[in-house]
Amino acid sequence: METDTHVISTLVENRPGVLQNVSSLFTRRGFNIESITVGGSETEGFARMVIVAKGDERVLEQITKQLNKLVDIIKVRDLDPQNTVKRELCLIKVKTDDEKKRSEIIQYTNIFRGKVIDISENSLTVEITGNPSKINALISMLKSFGIQKISRTGPTAIERDSIAK
């Protein structure tokens, strides 16, 4: 049985309790949410909820059916990975003992097109956005300096338009 990662985009009513209803549904069914992002959408009064979950096609079908049963859910769509733009935000706080290390961290951050958003005497905080593999690569590079904290949003995603041929 093959387990795939699915990115599920939902259009939901933007009101209290919707996120709770969705997370409760996953809990009751024994499905794990790998990540979830929620924010305003193109339509006033509605929000876009992007859920990342793992499972085979049967699990995906169950998740989709159960989500469609919820009153607050307007639309559910499993995004095609080949036709989807995914981005994530990550903040990384790194220990900086000296000027040489600080300079190296800034260079790595620049190579990955990140930003230094906070500097203190003993640490530096970096912001990076991009696909999850890019973020993982920067984290890997910064580990040797001593990462103090990481805060990640998880991916949010949007489907690309089809190109007519």
Side-chain angles (χ1 to χ4, degrees), residues 74-114:
I74 307 306
K75 188 175 184 179
V76 178
R77 192 173 167 103
D78 178 37
L79 300 180
D80 173 9
Q82 304 304 319
N83 199 31
T84 299
V85 177
K86 284 195 295 189
R87 292 293 179 266
E88 183 175 344
L89 167 69
C90 183
L91 303 177
I92 310 164
K93 186 175 182 180
V94 186
K95 183 178 176 182
T96 54
D97 299 309
D98 59 50
E99 198 56 45
K100 183 177 185 267
K101 285 183 179 179
R102 185 176 301 217
S103 179
E104 287 180 58
I105 294 167
I106 291 170
Q107 284 180 326
Y108 285 136
T109 300
N110 289 336
I111 289 168
F112 282 85
R113 294 191 180 125

Side-chain angles (χ1 to χ4, degrees), residues 37-162:
T37 58
V38 185
S41 76
E42 67 283 358
T43 308
E44 190 173 327
F46 295 94
R48 176 100 31 226
M49 185 180 296
V50 177
I51 304 162
V52 177
K54 287 187 178 178
D56 57 20
E57 288 302 315
R58 185 190 61 74
V59 169
L60 174 65
E61 186 179 334
Q62 278 296 319
I63 290 170
T64 304
K65 282 181 182 178
Q66 296 302 316
L67 285 170
N68 276 313
K69 288 181 181 180
L70 294 176
V71 174
D72 301 320
I73 305 286
I74 307 306
K75 188 175 184 179
V76 178
R77 192 173 167 103
D78 178 37
L79 300 180
D80 173 9
Q82 304 304 319
N83 199 31
T84 299
V85 177
K86 284 195 295 189
R87 292 293 179 266
E88 183 175 344
L89 167 69
C90 183
L91 303 177
I92 310 164
K93 186 175 182 180
V94 186
K95 183 178 176 182
T96 54
D97 299 309
D98 59 50
E99 198 56 45
K100 183 177 185 267
K101 285 183 179 179
R102 185 176 301 217
S103 179
E104 287 180 58
I105 294 167
I106 291 170
Q107 284 180 326
Y108 285 136
T109 300
N110 289 336
I111 289 168
F112 282 85
R113 294 191 180 125
K115 297 179 197 171
V116 174
I117 59 169
D118 187 58
I119 297 177
S120 70
E121 195 173 314
N122 300 313
S123 69
L124 188 135
T125 302
V126 171
E127 171 189 304
I128 183 170
T129 58
N131 64 46
S133 62
K134 173 185 172 182
I135 292 170
N136 291 338
L138 179 59
I139 289 170
S140 180
M141 297 294 293
L142 297 178
K143 277 185 180 173
S144 65
F145 295 97
I147 293 175
Q148 294 176 317
K149 291 183 182 175
I150 295 176
S151 181
R152 292 178 83 156
T153 61
T156 191
I158 195 164
E159 206 164 31
R160 289 185 177 101
D161 286 338
S162 298

